[in-house]
Amino acid sequence: MTYPLLYALHRHMGGKRVRIIARDPVDQNYLCLPWPVDFVQAKGFWSHVVSLPRGARLMMALHYTSDRYGLVAAIRRPAARLGFTNKRLTDRVWTHACKKDFEEYLAVANVRLLSQYLPIDIEANARECFETIAASAARSPHATDIVLMPGGGDGEYKRWGLKNFLPLLAGLRAELGEHLTATFVLGPDEHEEHAALVAANLPGVHLMMTRPLAEIAHVCIHARLIVANDCGPSHIGQSACVPYVGVFHRHNPQWYWDRPYSRCVTPLGDCVDIQTIEPGDVLDACLEVWPASDRATVSAPAVRRVHAPPARAMV
């Protein structure tokens, strides 16, 4: 979810290298980007201070639960210091700030913070970011109408499962046409799903197993609909800015980008069992966001189990 932010920095800062300082060894998540970045792992406070060079033009702190990063900014004093205010002692350190909104999608919050310093169209920037990443793909994957993401690396409680995704695909084809193609995006934890789909050998269905970031971005950018569990690739899907349906075990607005062409489907009431969501519930949400030009064959859904609060205006 930091990719759109990094792209905005790269584009608006004249192509200067951006240094990412993180406590965890997540360099592989950033060095794959098609624009130059530096990565430094800094576990302790003073290693954070040393990693921020003197004379830095700008510093952004994406953490909002600790004074650590405000103290780093106070010591190094970069010209522009950007951070979220959250009633902490170091809130006054920031030269540009906005209040942390716990109801806002994190990828949007990151760029909204930068927009206090630079004029940015948040949605257009996200789309352009992943268009740029997609253009760097060594090969172009199969073009597809629907992208399905059944992953959920944190555990089974996030996985809606093939037993639901496959009936959903059948329902979409029944409503919108048997000609619709689909691509399943699978990660290293979905070997069983991959084997099951290979055995099923469904017509018009393509599989992407542990593919590079650029290829996943490419298939999402060119899709007409994306349906995903709460998983890493789902954030690529959301920033592709195409119709999107997320299937969650509970509603968490920080992981879901609420827009007119997106829907969040969750269990009813206080239930957190994702298996209680029926394929028909997700199908209804998909039909609501399907491109208007293709809706001639789509009837209005009779039942909805969709959490869709009014969309926020994008900067």
Side-chain angles (χ1 to χ4, degrees), residues 124-196:
N125 174 76
R127 171 78 182 186
E128 188 174 318
C129 166
F130 282 97
E131 286 178 336
T132 302
I133 293 172
S136 70
R139 68 179 185 86
S140 298
H142 291 283
T144 194
D145 295 306
I146 304 167
V147 174
L148 302 169
M149 299 179 176
D154 285 348
E156 289 300 317
Y157 71 97
K158 286 189 175 184
R159 295 174 182 268
W160 198 43
L162 285 186
K163 67 178 183 179
N164 292 308
F165 272 96
L166 290 176
L168 170 64
L169 176 58
L172 287 166
R173 284 176 163 174
E175 291 281 355
L176 302 170
E178 294 296 328
H179 62 282
L180 290 178
T181 57
T183 294
F184 281 87
V185 174
L186 305 166
D189 295 320
E190 283 84 59
H191 288 289
E192 290 184 9
E193 289 86 346
H194 182 265

Side-chain angles (χ1 to χ4, degrees), residues 20 42 70 78 91 100 109 116 126 150 197 200 223 234 257 259 265-266 272 286 296:
I20 302 158
D91 281 355
K100 181 61 185 176
Q116 309 304 306
L197 289 167
S234 73
W257 193 348
R259 291 166 289 181
V265 186
T266 59
V272 293
C286 292

Side-chain angles (χ1 to χ4, degrees), residues 145 176 223-225 242-244 261 286-296 298:
D145 295 306
L176 302 170
R224 298 159 75 187
L225 172 69
V242 300
Y244 179 89
Y261 56 86
C286 292
L287 297 182
E288 288 188 8
V289 300
W290 186 257
S293 59
D294 297 333
R295 286 186 182 176
V298 179

Side-chain angles (χ1 to χ4, degrees), residues 46-102:
W46 286 109
S47 59
H48 273 86
V49 173
V50 172
S51 298
L52 180 63
R54 293 187 181 277
R57 178 177 170 185
L58 179 149
M59 169 193 170
M60 287 190 68
L62 302 185
H63 292 273
Y64 50 84
T65 59
S66 171
D67 281 316
R68 169 194 296 261
Y69 307 97
L71 290 173
V72 172
I75 292 170
R76 285 304 203 193
R77 307 292 293 182
R81 304 179 293 279
L82 283 66
F84 292 106
T85 58
N86 191 21
K87 297 181 179 179
R88 308 201 69 83
L89 291 174
T90 55
D91 281 355
R92 294 185 179 182
V93 169
W94 311 122
T95 60
H96 301 78
C98 60
K99 184 178 179 181
K100 181 61 185 176
D101 182 355
F102 296 95

